Each structure stands twice: as C-alpha cells, then as structure tokens.
C-alpha cells in the first residue's frame, strides 16, 4: 500500500528542492488555500509563490487533496489535477477535465513576460527567483495587468485542450538564466521520483512492525526536507521542516546526521560538518543557517562531541580523513565555551540566554542574566573526551592527554559547583544563587553515566523515573508535571522534545539503566507513531504541538525504534 499523507500538516516536496506545496491558512491579504512555495531565504520570508486553484468553465471549483511521496492529486467534481516535482527545480502539472489557475501576488516588482506562444516568464521579486511556465498541452491565458513598474498581479490560467480536455504544463524555478531542457513525460517523471524515494525508504533504519506507520512518515519527512547546496549552504542540508522552520539549527543537525550515518554516511557527514564550514574565527558556530544567511545572535549547546562519538561507534566510514577534517574545528568550538562564556572565571561556562541552551524558555532562564547549568558541563566533558579520542587516533598523544585532563577538571568542577543538598541545580553566574523551577535540564548530566558518583546517579534516576515528576505516559516532560510552572503547551516548560529523549535514553542505556531507557523510548515511539513527527508534544496527552513535520523528531524516532526500544 502506497504511503499517503495530509498536506494540511505535511508539505508535498522532494529531496534536493526548495520547492514545496503546502496548505496555508488565511493571513493578511493571503487567502486560505494550497500554494506552490519556495523555502529559500529561511523562515523570515513568506515563501508563498502561486496559489493553486482548479477551474471548470472559467469558474473556481473546490477540491480535495491526496498526497504520496511522488504525486499530489487535486480531486474535484469536474475533474482532477496531478502534480509531481520532477527534480530540484521543476514541477510538472497534468489536469483532466479542469483548468488550473496559478495566482502570484505581493511582490513590489513582480511581472510576467511572454517568451513564446506557450511560454511565460514570471519574475517573483518577493521570492528572489524567476519561474518559467511552459504549456505542453492546452493553452495559457495570462492575466497580468502592468502598472508603471510591475504587474498588479499575475494569474496564469492553464486551459485544457478542446480535443482531449487535458492541460499539461511545467514550472521551472531559476535565478539567472533559463536554459531549455527536455522533459520526461508526466508518468515517467512520477515513476522516477517514486523509485528515488523507494530507494531512500529502503535504506531508512528498520524497526518492528509496531512502529511501521511512524517509520513511513519519518522516512518521507527526512527525504523531502533535504535542500541542495546553494548560496550560504556549502553542502546538501536537511531542513528542520518545509512548513515554517525552514532553516537548520546548530544542534538539530546532529540528530539528523546520527540517523543517516549507517545508511548514508556521506550525507550524514555533510549534515554534521555544514556548521563547521561557516565557523567564526573565534570558534563560535551560528545559531541557524539557510541558503541566504546565518544568525549569530544566539548559539546552541555543544552536543557535537557526544554526536560524533555516537556516529564513530556505528560506522567505519568515519576514517582518518574525516577525523583530520573535524578535529581543529571541534577543538575551536570547545575552547570557545571556556574562553568566551565564563564571565566570572570560575571554570564553569555559562549560557547567556535560554536560546543558547536550546531550551529557550526553560524555567532556569525565567529571569534576566547568565546561567551556569549542569547540562552544559556534561556536554563539554563528553566533547573533551571525544577530542581526546580523535587526538589519540591521529597520533597526537600529548593533546589527547590535555583534552582528557580538561574533561576531568570540568567534571570535578561540575560536581563541586552544582551538587548541593542531594541534587544538581543551575545557578546564576557570578552570585551562584540557585535558580527556581523544576526543569529537566538539571537532570541531563545522566548522559555522563558511570562517570558520576553513585549518589548523584541515584538522585537523577529517582527523579527521572518518578511518574509524578518527569516520566510522563509519553516520555520525559521538560518541566516537572508537579511544578507550578508546568504548561501543557509551554514549549520548554513541560512538553516532550525528541532531542532530550534521545540524549537521556542514550545516557541511561550507557549508564546501565536499560529498563528505564527502554520505557522512555517505547513511550516516545508509541506517541509519535500515533500523533506524528511534531516539533514537540503534550507530555500527558501526547498531542503533537506546533510544526508536525519535523526532521529531528523523525530522526530520533527512527533511531529509538531501531535500536533503543528493545534495550
């Protein structure tokens, strides 16, 4: 049975393309409907290009949608249209019994120019691209009134051929010069895309039949969210989503790399290294990137050492060449934390803002000011250990010893700094006053496993296994469910997040707490299998919240279902 999905929550797109088709709600002057979009420019641009309508006898007709990875079908009472994204920049349409109207509006200088009887160029300034519209069968009726410097709107109506009642056309996206190419037939294009997707699906991490529904969805989301190397992107990049989170963030990419490393190690390496390609001289990594720019106002936590060690344990593909490529960039990223994020010079790095931690609005960031949090020290311990491992493999024995010594010093300082009265708690930089709230972030050091004293492990496990505090029916809540600050849809104040589940589950298993690790993995996978690959989830109800086509959720689901639920 062919996998299908609802474009109201999951866009129709394909590997290697910025083009996508989405259902958008009404917003400002934009009416509700199905739109051909481009996700260039990240989530700060509208991305909406053409509204797609079906017509019969010149009038709009309502339709329903049915999507598979290779074909989107728009079904009306008068006929239907089918759409396939043939390659990274070409969309094919074929309609039977109905016409197709594409409407572009909103750009300051948008215009349409006829090139031949069957071809029009549409220049979309808002989206910073051009589109070539070519009719293969039927006619183009263009409504694009010119006023001074632009067309007030562009409406391209593709009318069926009178003899066959069919219209077929292509839309090509380009930025500079259009080059004429031969097109496959519509059916050939669909077959090629279907075969390409099936090869991806077959290589997706396998799991038990109980998790098959989620595996199909996660496979499609991860495949369709890859965009090409272009502009600021030095490598192919798996975006977080092609809904609204149309960027890559500098810890999200780690989980996508991990899920790919066994089946597609070269692409996994691209995901891992892409931020290091744009690393600042200081060692800082940008917060997020897209094809147009990077944001440097914030950053994300240093989980890269943990990620790389995890990947190295699961593939022989990462060899000397890759280790030499990553060693110095990873070292600079690590030193940045010690050099640039320790305002009180106590040897314990800090987060200046919640966004720097990835836990944007966690209760430890409830008040203004830099925060020293135990999770950051735990990540740095693992990162230093990974650097020691790489240095050893590269024959840099002196540097390996230095990194190992820094890992131990960081662990010692973490315990001296945060372990008080039988618990780990984040503190304010400088004053070291303990911060309020009951955030799960304080319990992330369980990823250190047996490096921790037994009494620390026992305290963390007691809290993590408490079903009145953090262990919800669906995984680990990010704020204690008994906390006065708990919010069911409070972002990092309660909901479940896939990366936290992955970090904790892996740490629990490696620390020997395999039963708790399996429980958490099973609960999360059961929830996502039922409710989709959302950005986050209501901890108690399991409802998917916000964006429901998220790649890091998909990647974590695939890894947990493949490796951890049976632990």
């Amino acid at each position: 049975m062919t996998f299908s999905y609802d474009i109201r929550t999951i866009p129709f797109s394909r590997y290697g393309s910025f083009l996508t088709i989405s259902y958008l709600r009404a917003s400002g002057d934009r009416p509700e409907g199905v739109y051909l979009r481009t996700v260039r420019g990240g989530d700060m641009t509208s991305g909406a290009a053409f509204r797609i309508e079906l017509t019969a006898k010149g009038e709009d007709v309502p339709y329903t949608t049915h999507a598979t990875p290779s074909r989107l079908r728009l079904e009306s009472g008068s006929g239907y249209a089918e759409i396939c994204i043939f390659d990274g920049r070409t969309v094919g349409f074929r309609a039977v019994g109905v016409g197709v109207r594409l409407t572009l509006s909103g750009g300051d200088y948008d215009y349409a120019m006829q090139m031949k009887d069957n071809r029009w160029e549409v220049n979309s300034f808002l989206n910073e691209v051009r589109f070539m519209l070519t009719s293969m069968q039927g006619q183009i009726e263009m409504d694009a009134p010119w006023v001074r410097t632009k067309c007030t709107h562009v409406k391209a109506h593709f009318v069926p051929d009178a003899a066959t009642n069919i219209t077929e056309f292509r839309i090509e996206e380009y930025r500079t010069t259009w080059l004429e190419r031969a097109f496959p037939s519509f059916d050939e294009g669909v077959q090629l895309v279907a075969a390409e997707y099936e090869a991806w699906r077959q290589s997706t991490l396998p799991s038990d039949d109980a998790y098959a529904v989620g595996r199909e969805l996660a496979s499609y989301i991860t495949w369709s969210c890859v965009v090409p190397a272009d502009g600021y992107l030095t490598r192919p990049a798996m975006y977080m989503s092609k809904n609204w989170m149309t960027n890559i963030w500098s810890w999200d990419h780690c989980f996508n790399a991990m899920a790919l490393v066994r089946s597609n190690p070269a692409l996994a390496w691209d995901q891992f290294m892409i931020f290091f390609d744009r690393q600042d001289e200081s060692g800082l990594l940008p917060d997020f990137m897209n094809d147009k720019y990077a944001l440097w106002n914030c950053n994300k936590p240093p989980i890269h050492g943990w990620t790389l060690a995890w990947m190295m344990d699961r593939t022989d593909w990462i060899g000397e060449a890759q280790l030499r490529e990553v060693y110095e960039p990873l070292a600079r990223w690590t030193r940045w934390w010690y050099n640039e994020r320790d305002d009180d010079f106590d040897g314990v790095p800090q987060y200046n803002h919640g966004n720097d931690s990835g836990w944007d609005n966690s209760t430890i960031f409830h008040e203004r000011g830099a925060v020293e949090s135990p999770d950051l020290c735990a990540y740095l311990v693992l990162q230093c250990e990974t650097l020691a491992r790489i240095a050893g493999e590269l024959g840099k024995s002196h540097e390996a010893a230095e990194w190992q010594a820094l890992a131990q010093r960081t662990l010692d300082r973490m315990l001296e700094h945060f372990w008080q009265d039988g618990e780990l708690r984040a503190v304010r930089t400088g004053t070291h006053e303990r911060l309020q709230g009951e955030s799960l972030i304080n319990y992330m050091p369980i990823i250190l496993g047996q490096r921790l004293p037994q009494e620390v492990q026992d305290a963390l496990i007691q809290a993590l296994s408490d079903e009145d505090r953090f262990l919800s029916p669906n995984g680990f809540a990010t704020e204690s469910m008994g906390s006065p600050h708990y919010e069911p849809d409070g972002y990092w104040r309660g909901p479940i997040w896939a990366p936290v589940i992955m970090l904790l589950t892996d740490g629990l298993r490696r620390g020997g707490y395999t039963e708790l690790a399996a429980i958490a993995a099973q609960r999360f996978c059961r929830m996502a299998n039922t409710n989709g690959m959302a950005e986050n989830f209501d901890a108690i109800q399991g409802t998917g919240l916000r964006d429901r086509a998220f790649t890091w959720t998909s990647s974590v689901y695939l890894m947990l279902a493949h490796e951890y639920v049976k632990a």
Side-chain angles (χ1 to χ4, degrees):
M1 182 177 178
T2 303
F3 165 68
S4 62
Y5 58 94
D6 186 354
I7 67 165
R8 288 175 180 263
T9 54
I10 302 164
F12 176 74
S13 190
R14 61 155 291 138
Y15 183 100
S17 180
F18 289 102
L19 296 169
T20 184
I21 296 177
S22 303
Y23 179 88
L24 301 179
R25 299 184 181 90
S27 177
D29 295 333
R30 184 190 72 202
E32 181 179 14
V34 176
Y35 286 80
L36 172 62
R37 305 165 54 225
T38 173
V39 296
R40 292 181 182 273
D43 58 3
M44 299 302 289
T45 61
S46 69
F50 294 101
R51 186 185 182 200
I52 304 172
E53 300 169 284
L54 299 188
T55 65
K57 298 180 181 179
E59 299 295 325
D60 296 347
V61 294
Y63 61 84
T64 58
T65 63
H66 178 80
T68 67
S70 59
R71 185 187 335 227
L72 173 63
R73 185 177 173 101
L74 314 179
E75 187 82 43
S76 78
S78 303
Y80 64 88
E82 295 179 310
I83 307 170
C84 176
I85 304 177
F86 292 158
D87 55 38
R89 61 188 182 92
T90 309
V91 185
F93 285 74
R94 180 175 64 188
V96 178
V98 291
V100 179
R101 180 184 290 117
L102 303 179
T103 301
L104 175 73
S105 60
D108 288 339
Y109 297 101
D110 293 353
Y111 66 83
M113 180 178 293
Q114 188 166 16
M115 311 303 288
K116 289 185 176 181
D117 288 345
N118 69 330
R119 180 173 295 144
W120 285 74
E121 179 188 70
V122 177
N123 196 338
S124 175
F125 281 71
L126 185 64
N127 293 290
E128 300 181 3
V129 294
R130 303 166 189 257
F131 297 97
M132 188 64 75
L133 281 52
T134 303
S135 175
M136 319 294 286
Q137 190 172 180
Q139 297 79 42
I140 304 177
E141 295 178 352
M142 183 63 72
D143 174 13
W146 181 267
V147 177
R148 298 176 70 92
T149 60
K150 68 172 185 176
C151 294
T152 58
H153 60 262
V154 176
K155 293 186 178 182
H157 189 197
F158 295 86
V159 180
D161 178 80
T164 63
N165 209 18
I166 294 173
T167 182
E168 186 170 345
F169 59 96
R170 308 287 184 263
I171 299 177
E172 296 171 88
E173 178 210 51
Y174 60 103
R175 284 188 143 169
T176 56
T177 302
W178 176 79
L179 299 175
E180 188 164 5
R181 299 179 298 151
F183 295 119
S185 71
F186 187 86
D187 288 333
E188 288 171 342
V190 171
Q191 291 169 5
L192 289 170
V193 176
E196 181 182 329
Y197 172 69
E198 180 59 19
W200 177 280
R201 191 188 74 83
Q202 290 289 347
S203 69
T204 298
L205 290 172
S207 60
D208 287 348
D209 290 345
Y211 303 107
V213 172
R215 179 179 181 270
E216 291 287 344
L217 178 58
S219 178
Y220 170 73
I221 290 173
T222 52
W223 174 78
S224 64
C225 282
V226 176
V227 300
D230 191 280
Y232 201 80
L233 299 174
T234 56
R235 306 170 189 244
M238 186 181 290
Y239 273 12
M240 292 311 100
S241 172
K242 285 186 177 175
N243 271 329
W244 308 288
M245 307 292 279
T246 51
N247 304 306
I248 46 173
W249 275 262
S250 58
W251 70 320
D252 308 41
H253 71 117
C254 291
F255 300 95
N256 293 336
M258 292 163 65
L260 291 170
V261 76
R262 280 173 279 211
S263 61
N264 196 335
L267 183 60
W269 193 248
D270 284 338
Q271 303 318 296
F272 185 74
M273 288 300 298
I274 191 168
F275 278 91
F276 292 105
D277 292 346
R278 294 298 188 182
Q279 187 173 30
D280 184 68
E281 291 181 1
S282 67
L284 177 64
L285 300 180
D287 183 36
F288 70 73
M289 296 192 305
N290 52 57
D291 66 300
K292 192 173 182 180
Y293 66 94
L295 182 78
W296 296 90
N297 295 75
C298 301
N299 51 263
K300 288 295 176 278
I303 67 165
H304 302 79
W306 167 79
T307 299
L308 183 53
W310 192 97
M311 293 167 64
M312 290 168 65
D313 289 342
R314 286 162 177 80
T315 181
D316 294 329
W317 186 90
I318 300 175
E320 181 178 345
Q322 287 72 36
L323 297 182
R324 291 193 181 280
E325 181 183 9
V326 75
Y327 178 66
E328 286 300 333
L330 185 62
R332 289 198 300 272
W333 174 223
T334 307
R335 294 189 193 104
W336 181 86
W337 285 96
Y338 291 99
N339 294 337
E340 305 296 335
R341 283 297 183 269
D342 186 12
D343 290 352
D344 58 5
F345 304 105
D346 61 357
V348 176
Q350 71 203 35
Y351 294 128
N352 284 355
H353 188 275
N355 288 6
D356 296 336
S357 74
W359 296 57
D360 305 2
N361 67 328
S362 165
T363 48
I364 69 170
F365 304 108
H366 186 72
E367 298 176 0
R368 180 171 54 191
V371 169
E372 296 171 1
S373 179
D375 73 306
L376 178 53
C377 282
Y379 301 144
L380 288 169
V381 168
L382 296 179
Q383 192 143 297
C384 289
E385 289 185 353
T386 298
L387 284 163
R389 175 179 173 181
I390 296 172
E393 294 196 22
L394 296 179
K396 302 175 184 286
S397 57
H398 179 70
E399 293 181 27
E402 289 182 333
W403 285 117
Q404 193 61 52
L406 181 55
Q408 187 60 53
R409 288 199 303 274
T410 304
L411 176 60
D412 293 343
R413 285 171 180 161
M414 184 192 82
L415 294 170
E416 294 168 2
H417 209 70
F418 300 113
W419 179 251
Q420 298 179 36
D421 302 324
E423 61 181 359
L424 292 173
R425 293 295 293 270
V427 301
R428 180 75 59 209
T429 298
T431 65
H432 293 163
E433 62 181 297
R434 305 187 79 182
L435 297 170
Q436 301 303 309
E438 297 181 61
S439 176
L440 182 65
I441 199 171
N442 291 307
Y443 300 86
M444 296 305 293
I446 198 65
I447 63 173
L448 294 172
Q450 295 179 353
R451 300 171 185 82
L452 298 172
Q454 191 61 50
E455 64 173 338
V456 178
Q457 292 184 62
D458 291 344
L460 297 179
I461 293 300
Q462 182 178 0
L464 291 172
S465 59
D466 189 337
E467 298 194 342
D468 292 324
R469 296 184 67 191
F470 293 111
L471 184 58
S472 83
N474 299 291
F476 294 115
T478 47
E479 179 78 9
S480 170
M481 293 174 286
S483 166
H485 302 292
Y486 175 84
E487 300 174 28
D489 187 9
Y491 224 53
W492 291 91
R493 296 190 175 204
I496 292 170
W497 288 78
V500 173
I501 299 296
M502 185 68 208
L503 283 157
L504 289 177
T505 300
D506 185 63
L508 287 167
R509 191 174 73 167
R510 286 186 295 106
Y513 303 98
T514 55
E515 183 177 356
L516 182 56
I519 289 171
Q522 289 164 354
R523 291 185 182 186
F524 177 85
C525 288
R526 184 178 62 239
M527 171 187 66
N529 196 58
T530 302
N531 296 322
M533 304 300 152
E535 181 182 0
N536 52 23
F537 301 85
D538 183 307
I540 297 173
Q541 301 300 324
T543 308
L545 304 172
R546 302 172 189 269
D547 195 328
R548 292 170 60 190
F550 229 62
T551 57
W552 74 352
T553 306
S554 300
S555 292
V556 168
Y557 175 88
L558 292 170
M559 289 186 285
L560 293 179
H562 173 71
E563 182 175 342
Y564 290 82
V565 293
K566 297 178 181 178

